[in-house]
Amino acid sequence: MEKDKTSVPYIVYEGEMARAERRDKRQWVVIIFLIVSLLASNIGWLVYESQFETYTYDYTQDGEGLNNINTGEQGDVLYGPEAENKGQKEKER
């Protein structure tokens, strides 16, 4: 029950190893290129996003979930629907 063993000539083995080494070098070049591309794209969108001003609003909610409290830009506190009316009245002035 011994399996039939086939031998491969040494020149064929050397050819396959040379081909594998070339493939490995190409793979490393691609891997390095992809990592550099990833870093460049992340730096690019960070620079793009940093061009815009951002505004933050702090919201709190009472225990019943009925009123959202908005702390505005000037530090005034705006409550629920009255906040919309107050903002519209200021725009009309």
Side-chain angles (χ1 to χ4, degrees):
M1 289 207 43
E2 189 174 318
K3 292 185 180 181
D4 187 26
K5 295 182 182 179
T6 57
S7 63
V8 177
Y10 188 72
I11 190 87
V12 173
Y13 174 77
E14 279 186 346
E16 288 299 317
M17 288 298 104
R19 198 172 301 142
E21 288 173 3
R22 288 192 304 267
R23 185 190 65 226
D24 291 343
K25 286 180 185 178
R26 284 191 299 259
Q27 284 178 342
W28 275 110
V29 169
V30 169
I31 289 169
I32 292 170
F33 174 75
L34 290 175
I35 290 171
V36 169
S37 298
L38 178 67
L39 292 175
S41 67
N42 283 340
I43 290 170
W45 71 260
L46 284 173
V47 168
Y48 173 76
E49 287 293 325
S50 68
Q51 295 175 1
F52 303 105
E53 288 187 33
T54 56
Y55 300 101
T56 58
Y57 299 99
D58 297 323
Y59 289 96
T60 57
Q61 193 167 18
D62 64 0
E64 297 175 7
L66 298 175
N67 293 327
N68 286 331
I69 302 169
N70 178 9
T71 306
E73 292 179 26
Q74 290 92 15
D76 54 347
V77 177
L78 308 174
Y79 295 95
E82 295 105 21
E84 293 176 12
N85 295 336
K86 182 179 177 185
Q88 290 173 356
K89 288 179 186 175
E90 289 177 358
K91 288 180 185 176
E92 292 172 359
R93 289 183 193 174

